[in-house]
Amino acid sequence: MVSRPVTPDDRPAPRPDNRRRGRRVRRWVIVLGVLVILLVGADFGAAAFAEHTISQKAREQLSLTDDPSVDIHGFPFLTQALSGDYSHITVSADGVPVGGELRDLGVSAELEDVTAPLSDLTAGNTKNVKIGKLTGAVTIKASDIARISPLDKIQNLRIDQSTEAYVKYGDTDQGQEPDPTPTNSAGETEDGNTAGVRLSGDVQVAGQKVEIFCFALIELKDKTITITPHRLQFGNDHETTVVPESVQKALMPNFRATIDTSTLPLSVTPTAVRVDSGSVTIKGEATSVNFSDLSTTKG
């Protein structure tokens, strides 16, 4: 006997209770999906509200015209908010003014182990916000450094990286300056309390405007940064880079300056200084501080 293939019409119809069970499962899946979306949306909304509150307070304390960037890390946010404990918050801002000379600072702060009661945040009160560890960085641009006396006598002041060895000893490889960015075994940039810097600009020599390169060391001591010039070179448009000794003695003081870091935002202990093209960055750390320590007003 030849068997006939089974067709869809030959298959038994699903039982009614199986169909109902399948519909109930699908409904529950849809309901759970909607709940998850609502909870995630509520979590992000609450986080955005908290970030906005902190941003507004930071704007007041940093004397900014716009709200700084605030990012509360970790998910879900609501569990952190209910407990009042936050593992990591990032605050960053540009265009921070301090005094009359420094008008365009870049400030970034990593806040760890933050205690911020939910009732205070919802009320916009940050006085009781405590920070377990604060890691901060303040970047001073060349345009601000050019306002610091006596560097304000240098026209078109520019800042570039150099190495401490090149600052002290000059050409090391057929006149080519070596890589100014020291790195560790992991390839990460290393920062220390000293750094080489090349300052360049126009100065008056015998009534003529001359481009001068100054190779100096930036050193961090306590809460003061000193710029100490070591040697000068003429600009590239001259046939020789040798600056006569008498000219060096006359011009060298114009490249010597100090920066008081205690006037800068973030009440941190300075630990490192780094030179980048066009800027100098001071890094530091502090423990057990208040949110008000982000302020540019030192009292």
Side-chain angles (χ1 to χ4, degrees):
M1 178 182 294
V2 178
S3 60
R4 183 172 60 85
V6 177
T7 65
D9 293 335
D10 297 325
R11 297 192 184 107
R15 296 175 59 183
D17 55 343
N18 289 339
R19 287 198 295 267
R20 286 194 294 270
R21 189 179 300 113
R23 285 196 293 268
R24 285 197 298 268
V25 171
R26 285 194 293 271
R27 283 198 295 268
W28 276 112
V29 170
I30 293 173
V31 170
L32 288 175
V34 172
L35 286 175
V36 169
I37 293 174
L38 290 175
L39 288 173
V40 171
D43 193 86
F44 278 105
F49 174 79
E51 289 170 347
H52 179 66
T53 300
I54 296 174
S55 179
Q56 286 186 317
K57 293 301 179 181
R59 181 184 65 182
E60 295 175 7
Q61 294 177 189
L62 295 174
S63 302
L64 299 173
T65 56
D66 299 315
D67 291 349
S69 173
V70 175
D71 186 9
I72 299 178
H73 303 275
F75 179 83
F77 165 80
L78 289 175
T79 57
Q80 299 183 82
L82 292 174
S83 66
D85 296 321
Y86 303 83
S87 59
H88 185 192
I89 299 175
T90 299
V91 179
S92 60
D94 291 315
V96 180
V98 176
E101 296 174 341
L102 306 179
R103 307 171 189 173
D104 191 19
L105 299 178
V107 177
S108 64
E110 302 296 334
L111 318 179
E112 300 178 60
D113 301 326
V114 179
T115 301
L118 181 60
S119 58
D120 287 337
L121 279 184
T122 54
N125 178 22
T126 56
K127 292 182 179 179
N128 295 325
V129 174
K130 307 293 184 182
I131 303 168
K133 181 181 178 182
L134 169 61
T135 304
V138 177
T139 298
I140 310 174
K141 297 179 182 178
S143 56
D144 276 350
I145 293 178
R147 298 187 184 97
I148 300 174
S149 179
L151 295 174
D152 55 356
K153 298 177 182 178
I154 311 298
Q155 299 179 22
N156 303 317
L157 182 70
R158 297 176 297 279
I159 294 176
D160 290 288
Q161 295 174 314
S162 186
T163 63
E164 296 183 35
Y166 193 80
V167 167
K168 295 177 180 178
Y169 308 115
D171 297 343
T172 58
D173 184 14
Q174 298 179 351
Q176 298 297 315
E177 190 172 0
D179 181 7
T181 308
T183 58
N184 56 25
S185 57
E188 301 170 334
T189 301
E190 291 185 335
D191 299 319
N193 58 3
T194 59
V197 61
R198 184 182 69 184
L199 304 170
S200 60
D202 300 328
V203 297
Q204 294 292 327
V205 178
Q208 294 185 345
K209 182 186 292 186
V210 178
E211 182 185 26
I212 292 289
F213 289 163
C214 174
F215 293 88
L217 286 182
I218 290 185
E219 184 176 8
L220 176 62
K221 276 189 178 181
D222 297 326
K223 292 190 175 183
T224 300
I225 289 178
T226 60
I227 301 176
T228 305
H230 279 250
R231 58 190 181 84
L232 303 179
Q233 290 182 353
F234 283 125
N236 293 331
D237 56 341
H238 289 260
E239 294 181 0
T240 176
T241 61
V242 177
V243 177
E245 187 68 24
S246 59
V247 177
Q248 293 232 21
K249 288 182 179 180
L251 295 181
M252 200 84 81
N254 294 326
F255 292 91
R256 187 184 304 274
T258 60
I259 302 173
D260 182 7
T261 66
S262 65
T263 64
L264 301 179
L266 309 179
S267 295
V268 299
T269 300
T271 57
V273 59
R274 187 186 75 226
V275 177
D276 295 302
S277 179
S279 66
V280 174
T281 297
I282 299 99
K283 297 182 177 181
E285 296 181 354
T287 56
S288 302
V289 297
N290 297 324
F291 185 79
S292 57
D293 290 321
L294 298 177
S295 176
T296 57
T297 303
K298 308 297 179 181

mmCIF file of all heavy atoms in Angstrom, residues 51-97:
data_model
loop_
_atom_site.group_PDB
_atom_site.id
_atom_site.type_symbol
_atom_site.label_atom_id
_atom_site.label_comp_id
_atom_site.label_asym_id
_atom_site.label_seq_id
_atom_site.Cartn_x
_atom_site.Cartn_y
_atom_site.Cartn_z
ATOM 1 N N GLU A 51 20.996 65.375 37.181
ATOM 2 C CA GLU A 51 22.136 65.976 36.477
ATOM 3 C C GLU A 51 21.892 67.458 36.226
ATOM 4 O O GLU A 51 22.812 68.278 36.351
ATOM 5 C CB GLU A 51 22.371 65.237 35.162
ATOM 6 C CG GLU A 51 22.926 63.828 35.350
ATOM 7 C CD GLU A 51 22.933 63.023 34.056
ATOM 8 O OE1 GLU A 51 22.295 63.455 33.078
ATOM 9 O OE2 GLU A 51 23.565 61.947 34.030
ATOM 10 N N HIS A 52 20.664 67.806 35.884
ATOM 11 C CA HIS A 52 20.333 69.219 35.643
ATOM 12 C C HIS A 52 20.469 70.036 36.925
ATOM 13 O O HIS A 52 20.987 71.164 36.906
ATOM 14 C CB HIS A 52 18.913 69.327 35.096
ATOM 15 C CG HIS A 52 18.469 70.739 34.836
ATOM 16 N ND1 HIS A 52 19.057 71.536 33.862
ATOM 17 C CD2 HIS A 52 17.515 71.506 35.426
ATOM 18 C CE1 HIS A 52 18.472 72.726 33.855
ATOM 19 N NE2 HIS A 52 17.534 72.732 34.795
ATOM 20 N N THR A 53 20.017 69.466 38.046
ATOM 21 C CA THR A 53 20.130 70.167 39.335
ATOM 22 C C THR A 53 21.589 70.429 39.694
ATOM 23 O O THR A 53 21.972 71.538 40.065
ATOM 24 C CB THR A 53 19.452 69.342 40.446
ATOM 25 O OG1 THR A 53 18.062 69.167 40.131
ATOM 26 C CG2 THR A 53 19.585 70.050 41.790
ATOM 27 N N ILE A 54 22.418 69.385 39.583
ATOM 28 C CA ILE A 54 23.838 69.541 39.890
ATOM 29 C C ILE A 54 24.494 70.521 38.922
ATOM 30 O O ILE A 54 25.321 71.343 39.311
ATOM 31 C CB ILE A 54 24.542 68.166 39.840
ATOM 32 C CG1 ILE A 54 23.983 67.252 40.928
ATOM 33 C CG2 ILE A 54 26.051 68.321 40.000
ATOM 34 C CD1 ILE A 54 24.513 65.830 40.861
ATOM 35 N N SER A 55 24.109 70.458 37.656
ATOM 36 C CA SER A 55 24.685 71.349 36.644
ATOM 37 C C SER A 55 24.381 72.802 36.956
ATOM 38 O O SER A 55 25.252 73.681 36.837
ATOM 39 C CB SER A 55 24.147 70.975 35.264
ATOM 40 O OG SER A 55 24.662 71.835 34.276
ATOM 41 N N GLN A 56 23.143 73.102 37.370
ATOM 42 C CA GLN A 56 22.779 74.481 37.700
ATOM 43 C C GLN A 56 23.580 74.998 38.888
ATOM 44 O O GLN A 56 24.040 76.147 38.882
ATOM 45 C CB GLN A 56 21.283 74.566 37.986
ATOM 46 C CG GLN A 56 20.407 74.469 36.739
ATOM 47 C CD GLN A 56 18.953 74.708 37.064
ATOM 48 O OE1 GLN A 56 18.422 74.205 38.056
ATOM 49 N NE2 GLN A 56 18.283 75.493 36.227
ATOM 50 N N LYS A 57 23.738 74.170 39.909
ATOM 51 C CA LYS A 57 24.513 74.590 41.080
ATOM 52 C C LYS A 57 25.992 74.772 40.724
ATOM 53 O O LYS A 57 26.645 75.694 41.209
ATOM 54 C CB LYS A 57 24.360 73.563 42.202
ATOM 55 C CG LYS A 57 22.955 73.507 42.778
ATOM 56 C CD LYS A 57 22.522 74.850 43.340
ATOM 57 C CE LYS A 57 21.119 74.812 43.884
ATOM 58 N NZ LYS A 57 20.680 76.128 44.413
ATOM 59 N N ALA A 58 26.514 73.882 39.884
ATOM 60 C CA ALA A 58 27.906 74.031 39.465
ATOM 61 C C ALA A 58 28.088 75.301 38.639
ATOM 62 O O ALA A 58 29.124 75.960 38.725
ATOM 63 C CB ALA A 58 28.336 72.805 38.651
ATOM 64 N N ARG A 59 27.101 75.648 37.839
ATOM 65 C CA ARG A 59 27.186 76.887 37.054
ATOM 66 C C ARG A 59 27.295 78.095 37.968
ATOM 67 O O ARG A 59 28.081 79.021 37.725
ATOM 68 C CB ARG A 59 25.958 77.031 36.153
ATOM 69 C CG ARG A 59 25.991 78.283 35.280
ATOM 70 C CD ARG A 59 24.722 78.447 34.488
ATOM 71 N NE ARG A 59 23.574 78.680 35.356
ATOM 72 C CZ ARG A 59 22.329 78.827 34.918
ATOM 73 N NH1 ARG A 59 22.074 78.737 33.627
ATOM 74 N NH2 ARG A 59 21.343 79.029 35.765
ATOM 75 N N GLU A 60 26.511 78.107 39.059
ATOM 76 C CA GLU A 60 26.569 79.218 40.011
ATOM 77 C C GLU A 60 27.943 79.294 40.667
ATOM 78 O O GLU A 60 28.534 80.374 40.788
ATOM 79 C CB GLU A 60 25.486 79.045 41.078
ATOM 80 C CG GLU A 60 24.062 79.132 40.543
ATOM 81 C CD GLU A 60 23.042 78.837 41.627
ATOM 82 O OE1 GLU A 60 23.444 78.692 42.808
ATOM 83 O OE2 GLU A 60 21.838 78.733 41.303
ATOM 84 N N GLN A 61 28.460 78.150 41.093
ATOM 85 C CA GLN A 61 29.718 78.143 41.838
ATOM 86 C C GLN A 61 30.924 78.420 40.946
ATOM 87 O O GLN A 61 31.933 78.955 41.421
ATOM 88 C CB GLN A 61 29.875 76.804 42.564
ATOM 89 C CG GLN A 61 28.835 76.603 43.654
ATOM 90 C CD GLN A 61 28.912 75.256 44.337
ATOM 91 O OE1 GLN A 61 28.047 74.901 45.112
ATOM 92 N NE2 GLN A 61 29.948 74.491 44.071
ATOM 93 N N LEU A 62 30.838 78.055 39.662
ATOM 94 C CA LEU A 62 31.945 78.298 38.746
ATOM 95 C C LEU A 62 31.796 79.601 37.976
ATOM 96 O O LEU A 62 32.616 79.915 37.117
ATOM 97 C CB LEU A 62 32.071 77.127 37.758
ATOM 98 C CG LEU A 62 32.451 75.770 38.364
ATOM 99 C CD1 LEU A 62 32.388 74.680 37.305
ATOM 100 C CD2 LEU A 62 33.835 75.819 39.003
ATOM 101 N N SER A 63 30.728 80.348 38.275
ATOM 102 C CA SER A 63 30.481 81.656 37.639
ATOM 103 C C SER A 63 30.423 81.540 36.119
ATOM 104 O O SER A 63 31.064 82.302 35.387
ATOM 105 C CB SER A 63 31.570 82.661 38.053
ATOM 106 O OG SER A 63 31.624 82.808 39.448
ATOM 107 N N LEU A 64 29.631 80.578 35.635
ATOM 108 C CA LEU A 64 29.521 80.329 34.208
ATOM 109 C C LEU A 64 28.254 80.948 33.639
ATOM 110 O O LEU A 64 27.281 81.197 34.363
ATOM 111 C CB LEU A 64 29.507 78.823 33.929
ATOM 112 C CG LEU A 64 30.743 78.032 34.364
ATOM 113 C CD1 LEU A 64 30.491 76.544 34.174
ATOM 114 C CD2 LEU A 64 31.966 78.475 33.596
ATOM 115 N N THR A 65 28.263 81.196 32.336
ATOM 116 C CA THR A 65 27.069 81.672 31.659
ATOM 117 C C THR A 65 26.202 80.516 31.185
ATOM 118 O O THR A 65 24.994 80.680 30.980
ATOM 119 C CB THR A 65 27.447 82.548 30.449
ATOM 120 O OG1 THR A 65 28.314 81.808 29.580
ATOM 121 C CG2 THR A 65 28.186 83.806 30.914
ATOM 122 N N ASP A 66 26.793 79.324 30.993
ATOM 123 C CA ASP A 66 26.057 78.139 30.564
ATOM 124 C C ASP A 66 26.251 77.007 31.566
ATOM 125 O O ASP A 66 27.233 76.977 32.317
ATOM 126 C CB ASP A 66 26.531 77.677 29.174
ATOM 127 C CG ASP A 66 26.301 78.729 28.103
ATOM 128 O OD1 ASP A 66 25.203 79.304 28.080
ATOM 129 O OD2 ASP A 66 27.227 78.971 27.305
ATOM 130 N N ASP A 67 25.307 76.079 31.563
ATOM 131 C CA ASP A 67 25.402 74.930 32.467
ATOM 132 C C ASP A 67 26.560 74.021 32.045
ATOM 133 O O ASP A 67 26.716 73.720 30.862
ATOM 134 C CB ASP A 67 24.110 74.112 32.427
ATOM 135 C CG ASP A 67 22.938 74.853 33.057
ATOM 136 O OD1 ASP A 67 23.184 75.891 33.697
ATOM 137 O OD2 ASP A 67 21.794 74.391 32.902
ATOM 138 N N PRO A 68 27.368 73.580 32.998
ATOM 139 C CA PRO A 68 28.430 72.612 32.672
ATOM 140 C C PRO A 68 27.836 71.246 32.404
ATOM 141 O O PRO A 68 26.660 70.985 32.667
ATOM 142 C CB PRO A 68 29.295 72.615 33.937
ATOM 143 C CG PRO A 68 28.347 72.985 35.031
ATOM 144 C CD PRO A 68 27.365 73.948 34.423
ATOM 145 N N SER A 69 28.672 70.356 31.885
ATOM 146 C CA SER A 69 28.248 68.988 31.597
ATOM 147 C C SER A 69 28.329 68.152 32.877
ATOM 148 O O SER A 69 29.333 68.183 33.588
ATOM 149 C CB SER A 69 29.139 68.380 30.508
ATOM 150 O OG SER A 69 28.857 67.014 30.336
ATOM 151 N N VAL A 70 27.269 67.410 33.168
ATOM 152 C CA VAL A 70 27.228 66.534 34.341
ATOM 153 C C VAL A 70 26.759 65.157 33.891
ATOM 154 O O VAL A 70 25.760 65.038 33.175
ATOM 155 C CB VAL A 70 26.281 67.084 35.433
ATOM 156 C CG1 VAL A 70 26.167 66.086 36.589
ATOM 157 C CG2 VAL A 70 26.785 68.421 35.945
ATOM 158 N N ASP A 71 27.467 64.123 34.316
ATOM 159 C CA ASP A 71 27.124 62.759 33.956
ATOM 160 C C ASP A 71 27.153 61.888 35.206
ATOM 161 O O ASP A 71 28.208 61.714 35.827
ATOM 162 C CB ASP A 71 28.095 62.216 32.903
ATOM 163 C CG ASP A 71 27.694 60.846 32.376
ATOM 164 O OD1 ASP A 71 26.576 60.401 32.699
ATOM 165 O OD2 ASP A 71 28.514 60.220 31.679
ATOM 166 N N ILE A 72 25.987 61.366 35.592
ATOM 167 C CA ILE A 72 25.903 60.442 36.726
ATOM 168 C C ILE A 72 26.033 59.026 36.175
ATOM 169 O O ILE A 72 25.159 58.547 35.447
ATOM 170 C CB ILE A 72 24.585 60.605 37.490
ATOM 171 C CG1 ILE A 72 24.471 62.033 38.044
ATOM 172 C CG2 ILE A 72 24.494 59.590 38.629
ATOM 173 C CD1 ILE A 72 23.169 62.308 38.773
ATOM 174 N N HIS A 73 27.121 58.367 36.503
ATOM 175 C CA HIS A 73 27.389 57.034 35.974
ATOM 176 C C HIS A 73 26.623 55.971 36.766
ATOM 177 O O HIS A 73 26.206 56.192 37.896
ATOM 178 C CB HIS A 73 28.892 56.739 36.024
ATOM 179 C CG HIS A 73 29.730 57.744 35.280
ATOM 180 N ND1 HIS A 73 29.978 57.665 33.928
ATOM 181 C CD2 HIS A 73 30.375 58.860 35.707
ATOM 182 C CE1 HIS A 73 30.737 58.679 33.552
ATOM 183 N NE2 HIS A 73 30.995 59.423 34.609
ATOM 184 N N GLY A 74 26.474 54.827 36.151
ATOM 185 C CA GLY A 74 25.835 53.705 36.834
ATOM 186 C C GLY A 74 24.363 53.566 36.489
ATOM 187 O O GLY A 74 23.659 54.554 36.269
ATOM 188 N N PHE A 75 23.906 52.315 36.422
ATOM 189 C CA PHE A 75 22.506 52.018 36.134
ATOM 190 C C PHE A 75 22.084 50.830 36.985
ATOM 191 O O PHE A 75 22.862 49.880 37.154
ATOM 192 C CB PHE A 75 22.340 51.691 34.640
ATOM 193 C CG PHE A 75 20.933 51.354 34.238
ATOM 194 C CD1 PHE A 75 20.024 52.354 33.958
ATOM 195 C CD2 PHE A 75 20.522 50.029 34.178
ATOM 196 C CE1 PHE A 75 18.724 52.046 33.597
ATOM 197 C CE2 PHE A 75 19.214 49.704 33.832
ATOM 198 C CZ PHE A 75 18.312 50.724 33.541
ATOM 199 N N PRO A 76 20.876 50.869 37.556
ATOM 200 C CA PRO A 76 19.896 51.939 37.442
ATOM 201 C C PRO A 76 20.201 53.112 38.355
ATOM 202 O O PRO A 76 20.817 52.951 39.409
ATOM 203 C CB PRO A 76 18.592 51.256 37.843
ATOM 204 C CG PRO A 76 19.019 50.183 38.792
ATOM 205 C CD PRO A 76 20.362 49.701 38.308
ATOM 206 N N PHE A 77 19.722 54.293 37.943
ATOM 207 C CA PHE A 77 19.941 55.500 38.733
ATOM 208 C C PHE A 77 19.075 55.507 39.989
ATOM 209 O O PHE A 77 19.518 55.950 41.050
ATOM 210 C CB PHE A 77 19.629 56.739 37.881
ATOM 211 C CG PHE A 77 19.477 57.999 38.690
ATOM 212 C CD1 PHE A 77 20.591 58.698 39.129
ATOM 213 C CD2 PHE A 77 18.221 58.490 39.025
ATOM 214 C CE1 PHE A 77 20.462 59.849 39.880
ATOM 215 C CE2 PHE A 77 18.079 59.642 39.773
ATOM 216 C CZ PHE A 77 19.199 60.329 40.206
ATOM 217 N N LEU A 78 17.839 55.027 39.877
ATOM 218 C CA LEU A 78 16.897 55.159 40.990
ATOM 219 C C LEU A 78 17.381 54.450 42.253
ATOM 220 O O LEU A 78 17.125 54.917 43.363
ATOM 221 C CB LEU A 78 15.528 54.626 40.570
ATOM 222 C CG LEU A 78 14.772 55.500 39.564
ATOM 223 C CD1 LEU A 78 13.488 54.826 39.111
ATOM 224 C CD2 LEU A 78 14.468 56.872 40.165
ATOM 225 N N THR A 79 18.064 53.319 42.104
ATOM 226 C CA THR A 79 18.580 52.642 43.298
ATOM 227 C C THR A 79 19.633 53.500 43.997
ATOM 228 O O THR A 79 19.727 53.501 45.228
ATOM 229 C CB THR A 79 19.183 51.282 42.926
ATOM 230 O OG1 THR A 79 20.218 51.470 41.948
ATOM 231 C CG2 THR A 79 18.122 50.369 42.344
ATOM 232 N N GLN A 80 20.431 54.228 43.208
ATOM 233 C CA GLN A 80 21.410 55.138 43.800
ATOM 234 C C GLN A 80 20.707 56.318 44.459
ATOM 235 O O GLN A 80 21.083 56.753 45.553
ATOM 236 C CB GLN A 80 22.383 55.643 42.733
ATOM 237 C CG GLN A 80 23.200 54.563 42.046
ATOM 238 C CD GLN A 80 24.189 55.140 41.049
ATOM 239 O OE1 GLN A 80 25.274 55.587 41.416
ATOM 240 N NE2 GLN A 80 23.805 55.143 39.770
ATOM 241 N N ALA A 81 19.686 56.844 43.777
ATOM 242 C CA ALA A 81 18.975 58.008 44.310
ATOM 243 C C ALA A 81 18.275 57.688 45.621
ATOM 244 O O ALA A 81 18.298 58.473 46.571
ATOM 245 C CB ALA A 81 17.975 58.514 43.275
ATOM 246 N N LEU A 82 17.634 56.510 45.682
ATOM 247 C CA LEU A 82 16.911 56.138 46.900
ATOM 248 C C LEU A 82 17.860 55.960 48.078
ATOM 249 O O LEU A 82 17.529 56.290 49.217
ATOM 250 C CB LEU A 82 16.107 54.865 46.659
ATOM 251 C CG LEU A 82 14.916 55.008 45.687
ATOM 252 C CD1 LEU A 82 14.286 53.658 45.418
ATOM 253 C CD2 LEU A 82 13.895 55.996 46.247
ATOM 254 N N SER A 83 19.053 55.424 47.811
ATOM 255 C CA SER A 83 20.035 55.232 48.883
ATOM 256 C C SER A 83 20.818 56.508 49.179
ATOM 257 O O SER A 83 21.387 56.663 50.272
ATOM 258 C CB SER A 83 21.010 54.116 48.521
ATOM 259 O OG SER A 83 21.804 54.488 47.403
ATOM 260 N N GLY A 84 20.862 57.443 48.199
ATOM 261 C CA GLY A 84 21.628 58.677 48.383
ATOM 262 C C GLY A 84 23.114 58.493 48.182
ATOM 263 O O GLY A 84 23.891 59.396 48.480
ATOM 264 N N ASP A 85 23.514 57.325 47.646
ATOM 265 C CA ASP A 85 24.932 57.040 47.433
ATOM 266 C C ASP A 85 25.193 56.840 45.934
ATOM 267 O O ASP A 85 24.548 56.004 45.289
ATOM 268 C CB ASP A 85 25.356 55.784 48.198
ATOM 269 C CG ASP A 85 25.241 55.967 49.703
ATOM 270 O OD1 ASP A 85 25.561 57.072 50.188
ATOM 271 O OD2 ASP A 85 24.820 55.012 50.386
ATOM 272 N N TYR A 86 26.166 57.585 45.409
ATOM 273 C CA TYR A 86 26.501 57.524 43.993
ATOM 274 C C TYR A 86 27.974 57.150 43.866
ATOM 275 O O TYR A 86 28.832 57.738 44.524
ATOM 276 C CB TYR A 86 26.247 58.870 43.307
ATOM 277 C CG TYR A 86 24.827 59.360 43.456
ATOM 278 C CD1 TYR A 86 24.418 60.037 44.611
ATOM 279 C CD2 TYR A 86 23.893 59.145 42.459
ATOM 280 C CE1 TYR A 86 23.114 60.473 44.763
ATOM 281 C CE2 TYR A 86 22.586 59.585 42.591
ATOM 282 C CZ TYR A 86 22.199 60.251 43.749
ATOM 283 O OH TYR A 86 20.907 60.684 43.880
ATOM 284 N N SER A 87 28.250 56.196 43.005
ATOM 285 C CA SER A 87 29.628 55.712 42.890
ATOM 286 C C SER A 87 30.512 56.660 42.090
ATOM 287 O O SER A 87 31.698 56.803 42.387
ATOM 288 C CB SER A 87 29.646 54.322 42.243
ATOM 289 O OG SER A 87 29.055 54.364 40.939
ATOM 290 N N HIS A 88 29.941 57.327 41.059
ATOM 291 C CA HIS A 88 30.801 58.113 40.166
ATOM 292 C C HIS A 88 29.981 59.180 39.440
ATOM 293 O O HIS A 88 28.987 58.873 38.783
ATOM 294 C CB HIS A 88 31.463 57.176 39.150
ATOM 295 C CG HIS A 88 32.460 57.845 38.266
ATOM 296 N ND1 HIS A 88 32.981 57.242 37.128
ATOM 297 C CD2 HIS A 88 33.062 59.067 38.325
ATOM 298 C CE1 HIS A 88 33.830 58.059 36.543
ATOM 299 N NE2 HIS A 88 33.894 59.170 37.252
ATOM 300 N N ILE A 89 30.406 60.431 39.578
ATOM 301 C CA ILE A 89 29.781 61.556 38.873
ATOM 302 C C ILE A 89 30.887 62.365 38.208
ATOM 303 O O ILE A 89 31.928 62.633 38.814
ATOM 304 C CB ILE A 89 28.982 62.464 39.832
ATOM 305 C CG1 ILE A 89 27.855 61.674 40.503
ATOM 306 C CG2 ILE A 89 28.401 63.665 39.085
ATOM 307 C CD1 ILE A 89 27.087 62.469 41.551
ATOM 308 N N THR A 90 30.674 62.745 36.953
ATOM 309 C CA THR A 90 31.637 63.560 36.218
ATOM 310 C C THR A 90 31.059 64.951 35.969
ATOM 311 O O THR A 90 29.917 65.080 35.528
ATOM 312 C CB THR A 90 31.991 62.914 34.865
ATOM 313 O OG1 THR A 90 32.589 61.631 35.095
ATOM 314 C CG2 THR A 90 32.981 63.784 34.092
ATOM 315 N N VAL A 91 31.866 65.974 36.267
ATOM 316 C CA VAL A 91 31.479 67.364 35.995
ATOM 317 C C VAL A 91 32.583 68.000 35.163
ATOM 318 O O VAL A 91 33.770 67.888 35.501
ATOM 319 C CB VAL A 91 31.291 68.171 37.304
ATOM 320 C CG1 VAL A 91 30.905 69.611 36.987
ATOM 321 C CG2 VAL A 91 30.234 67.523 38.192
ATOM 322 N N SER A 92 32.223 68.652 34.061
ATOM 323 C CA SER A 92 33.221 69.314 33.223
ATOM 324 C C SER A 92 32.654 70.621 32.684
ATOM 325 O O SER A 92 31.449 70.736 32.441
ATOM 326 C CB SER A 92 33.663 68.405 32.065
ATOM 327 O OG SER A 92 32.560 68.065 31.254
ATOM 328 N N ALA A 93 33.547 71.607 32.513
ATOM 329 C CA ALA A 93 33.117 72.925 32.032
ATOM 330 C C ALA A 93 34.271 73.617 31.329
ATOM 331 O O ALA A 93 35.443 73.384 31.637
ATOM 332 C CB ALA A 93 32.625 73.775 33.201
ATOM 333 N N ASP A 94 33.933 74.471 30.388
ATOM 334 C CA ASP A 94 34.904 75.315 29.693
ATOM 335 C C ASP A 94 34.535 76.773 29.910
ATOM 336 O O ASP A 94 33.390 77.099 30.259
ATOM 337 C CB ASP A 94 34.927 75.005 28.189
ATOM 338 C CG ASP A 94 35.506 73.632 27.892
ATOM 339 O OD1 ASP A 94 36.552 73.296 28.481
ATOM 340 O OD2 ASP A 94 34.908 72.906 27.071
ATOM 341 N N GLY A 95 35.506 77.644 29.689
ATOM 342 C CA GLY A 95 35.250 79.078 29.813
ATOM 343 C C GLY A 95 35.069 79.540 31.240
ATOM 344 O O GLY A 95 34.322 80.492 31.496
ATOM 345 N N VAL A 96 35.752 78.893 32.192
ATOM 346 C CA VAL A 96 35.625 79.267 33.604
ATOM 347 C C VAL A 96 36.544 80.450 33.894
ATOM 348 O O VAL A 96 37.756 80.366 33.677
ATOM 349 C CB VAL A 96 35.990 78.084 34.524
ATOM 350 C CG1 VAL A 96 35.860 78.483 35.986
ATOM 351 C CG2 VAL A 96 35.112 76.876 34.200
ATOM 352 N N PRO A 97 36.011 81.579 34.409
ATOM 353 C CA PRO A 97 36.857 82.739 34.715
ATOM 354 C C PRO A 97 37.309 82.739 36.173
ATOM 355 O O PRO A 97 36.580 82.342 37.071
ATOM 356 C CB PRO A 97 35.903 83.917 34.450
ATOM 357 C CG PRO A 97 34.553 83.375 34.830
ATOM 358 C CD PRO A 97 34.578 81.888 34.523
#
